[in-house]
């Protein structure tokens, strides 16, 4: 194969990480630039191009890139655009796929980070061979990428898969960043866990290691550290979080009946503190026909490489589409919305 | 085309209705037999075969059937089986697709009635041209058929699309037929509406036309009739029902971002009594990025023909699969579960 590599680019609010990836998911080399350095997108693109080419030259990979996949907040696979994003410094709407494709002369496809994570897991990780699964990313927010029949679910407008914004508490729910109340994300993200800690500490009297920390600066990591030390209240916070995730996963199952739900992100590393109550709650709340059928497993991608790998998975799709047109996989930049 | 027709068979708890359908969705002729007459499935199949052949001969359609599609409770598209079903009189598990295919010498595919309704709507009805939509059937229960990327969602085990069993009330919810509490179906089916009527009548004092009916025999039709006459309590029951459906539809949207949600079944004919509060509630509860994007529309299939048309839509798939093998559309009877 004359073009054996793809380029994965993950545009985060702080760093833009990129890497050269082969078909087996080996990251040959990676590097990064600062996302916020240039408020002019063309200046950002110039720097990205220069740094990518430096990496390609150093790895004998110039002209060997089949496609480029990009994961970025709010990126729309169908339109190739980012319509708006408060975390990125450039004027919106931004025709990201088109501009990167023109600059690099390579097909480009884009999607949001949680969808990229799902594609990465399906291409190189825990979801290899699975045709129906849901990826849940437990980070600052709760993101999701849904795969049905081996295809990522984009929905009619490209914005499907916002499972973090399923309503879990219909009365007196916590305010969510989306402007509504009671969303899963307001409870089961890293910030949600910290909010639960503050709530528990305020309404209870029992002692806890968490009381040694100024209440407004408590993080989910603090809760984890306390729970590992056996702190009862901290363990109950994980029970509460796992219980709600289990309720949510039972509801997701009646929709798409996935073979597995795959967890990624900081909170997913809490091990059985989170997984035991989560799995118990999921089975308890599961519709009988689905009981014992849905696996909850952890991502198999190394955290340091996951974002680049996820984005790169879309690079294969963009590149293949260029070689043999296919309505599902046409590069976003060239695709006309139906 | 030498085989211009398909046969649609809808196996209900009382009647088995079947019809000859052409490519434009015209039901050339239809007839029915009693489902419960034979506890021996082979005897049932003999009668079905005889009656179908009588219909085919009368319509010059012998040897012109490309495929047979069957809608039946709990029917599994992947396995071609009904594993269990309390409403059917035959020994379970039943290899329905295989037995019908062998009897008729025609490819057969089966699925449950709500999935068949979605396929019917996509092939001949309100969902023609839509690639992402959700069919909701508001009957004795709340059924659903989900279409994503132009494909029906079966899930890894064939049982996906049980949206009537999404949990809407996590505390003190009504008992559902599935054994859990708080399911959408326990509130927004025809029986759910009757339960709401009983609840409202018991906890309130205000006058209502519904008080003229023995409370245990009130049906959703009674509530409709009273609401049409301007009865305030009856109208509030529709407000309550529409409000909850709207909340549910907003949650379904974060999953698959459908272009439309299509309603079918007795309650769907309640017009604006149901649709106005439903649409208002859906927009009010919708995640901002999806507001104003999802249409709620009514089925365009004639009620008398809908079940046969829905089942027949699967007949095209079974027949085409036979002509040109395709992993998605291989007849259920011949398909091996991955």
């Amino acid at each position: 194969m004359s073009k054996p590599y793809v380029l994965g680019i993950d545009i985060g609010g702080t760093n833009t990480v990129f890497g050269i990836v082969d078909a087996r998911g080996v990251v040959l080399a990676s590097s990064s630039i600062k996302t916020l350095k240039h408020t002019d997108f063309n200046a950002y693109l110039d720097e990205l191009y220069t740094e990518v080419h430096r990496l390609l030259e150093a790895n004998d990979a110039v002209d060997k890139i089949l496609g480029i996949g990009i994961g970025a907040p709010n990126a729309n696979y169908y339109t190739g655009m980012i319509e708006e994003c408060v975390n990125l410094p450039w004027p919106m709407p931004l025709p990201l796929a088109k501009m990167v494709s023109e600059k690099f002369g390579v097909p480009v496809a884009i999607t949001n980070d949680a969808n990229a994570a799902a594609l990465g897991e399906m291409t190189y990780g825990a979801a290899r061979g699975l045709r129906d699964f849901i990826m849940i990313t437990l980070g600052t927010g709760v993101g999701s990428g849904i795969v049905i029949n081996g295809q990522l679910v984009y929905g009619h407008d490209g914005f499907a898969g916002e499972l973090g914004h399923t309503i879990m508490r219909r009365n007196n729910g916590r305010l969510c960043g989306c402007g509504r109340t009671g969303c899963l994300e307001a409870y089961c993200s890293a910030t949600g866990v910290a909010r639960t800690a503050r709530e528990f500490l305020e309404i209870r009297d029992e002692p806890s290691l968490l009381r040694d920390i100024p209440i407004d600066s408590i993080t989910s990591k603090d809760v984890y550290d306390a729970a590992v030390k056996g702190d009862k209240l901290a363990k109950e916070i994980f029970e509460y979080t796992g219980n709600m995730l289990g309720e949510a996963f039972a509801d997701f199952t009646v929709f798409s009946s996935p073979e597995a739900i795959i967890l990624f992100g900081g909170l997913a590393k809490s091990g059985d503190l989170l997984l035991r109550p989560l799995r118990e709650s999921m089975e308890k709340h599961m519709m009988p026909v689905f009981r014992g059928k849905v696996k909850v497993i952890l991502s198999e991608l190394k955290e340091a490489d996951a974002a680049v790998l996820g984005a790169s998975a879309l690079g294969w799709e963009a590149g293949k589409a260029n070689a043999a047109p296919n309505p599902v996989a046409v590069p976003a930049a060239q695709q006309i919305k139906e």
Side-chain angles (χ1 to χ4, degrees), chain A:
Chain A
M1 181 159 56
S2 62
K3 295 193 171 181
Y5 306 131
V6 288
L7 192 70
I9 303 177
D10 179 66
I11 304 179
T14 307
N15 294 309
T16 295
V17 187
F18 48 90
I20 307 165
V21 179
D22 75 11
R24 287 182 299 178
V26 175
V27 181
L28 272 71
S30 63
S31 184
S32 69
I33 63 173
K34 295 286 173 201
T35 302
L36 299 176
K37 186 170 158 191
H38 305 282
T39 52
D40 174 0
F41 184 74
N42 280 305
Y44 166 84
L45 197 53
D46 286 341
E47 186 182 347
L48 181 65
Y49 184 82
T50 302
E51 291 306 316
V52 165
H53 257 262
R54 196 191 306 273
L55 200 69
L56 293 177
E57 280 162 18
N59 290 276
D60 190 24
V62 177
D63 292 328
K64 291 182 181 170
I65 299 298
L66 185 69
I68 298 175
I70 303 178
N74 296 9
N76 188 312
Y77 173 79
Y78 284 133
T79 62
M81 307 275 289
I82 303 179
E83 292 295 332
E84 53 182 324
C85 180
V86 293
N87 297 320
L88 297 177
W90 311 303
M92 299 285 161
L94 179 71
L96 179 65
K98 184 166 182 286
M99 291 181 78
V100 175
S101 182
E102 284 173 1
K103 184 81 181 179
F104 285 79
V106 171
V108 172
I110 73 175
T111 193
N112 71 40
D113 17 9
N115 284 345
L119 287 172
E121 216 63 52
M122 183 162 62
T123 311
Y124 318 110
R128 271 173 301 180
L130 298 189
R131 294 180 59 78
D132 294 278
F133 72 94
I134 297 176
M135 183 88 199
I136 298 287
T137 62
L138 300 171
T140 313
V142 174
S144 67
I146 304 163
V147 172
I148 289 176
N149 268 341
Q151 299 169 352
L152 201 65
V153 174
Y154 292 107
H156 87 284
D157 61 352
F159 292 111
E162 288 288 355
L163 297 183
H165 297 280
T166 303
I167 303 300
M168 298 304 297
R169 291 295 174 263
R170 298 195 181 275
N171 296 305
N172 199 27
R174 291 184 191 163
L175 185 63
C176 179
C178 77
R180 301 178 304 157
T181 57
C183 294
L184 180 65
E185 172 165 304
Y187 296 85
C188 297
S189 60
T191 39
V193 167
R195 286 170 84 171
T196 304
R198 283 191 276 281
E199 266 188 28
F200 277 31
L201 289 167
E202 276 170 5
I203 59 178
R204 295 180 182 204
D205 285 331
E206 64 201 272
S208 166
L209 295 170
L210 294 171
R211 296 198 191 277
D212 299 340
I213 303 166
I215 193 161
D216 285 331
S217 66
I218 290 175
T219 66
S220 62
K221 178 71 165 53
D222 295 327
V223 182
Y224 174 77
D225 290 341
V228 166
K229 287 176 191 156
D231 187 78
K232 184 166 166 292
L233 193 98
K235 287 199 283 189
E236 282 180 33
I237 293 166
F238 276 101
E239 293 274 340
Y240 179 87
T241 309
N243 185 60
M244 188 182 288
L245 282 168
E247 288 183 80
F249 289 8
D251 272 355
F252 301 161
T253 299
V254 299
F255 199 107
S256 70
S257 185
E259 186 168 350
I261 297 176
I262 302 175
L263 301 179
F264 179 77
L267 270 183
K269 292 182 291 183
S270 310
D272 274 348
L273 279 172
L274 185 71
L275 285 176
R276 187 194 46 72
L278 194 170
R279 288 182 174 129
E280 284 175 10
S281 163
M282 185 180 82
E283 290 303 327
K284 180 180 154 198
H285 293 99
M286 192 69 93
M287 187 179 174
V289 68
F290 299 113
R291 276 183 197 147
K293 285 188 183 174
V294 182
K295 294 190 282 277
V296 175
I297 55 182
L298 299 179
S299 162
E300 287 180 4
L301 300 184
K302 271 200 303 181
E303 193 176 8
D305 291 340
V308 162
L309 283 175
S312 81
L314 202 55
W316 298 112
E317 211 180 281
K320 277 177 211 151
N322 207 44
N326 168 334
V328 172
V330 167
Q334 299 167 23
Q335 192 163 11
I336 294 157
K337 179 83 180 66
E338 283 180 275

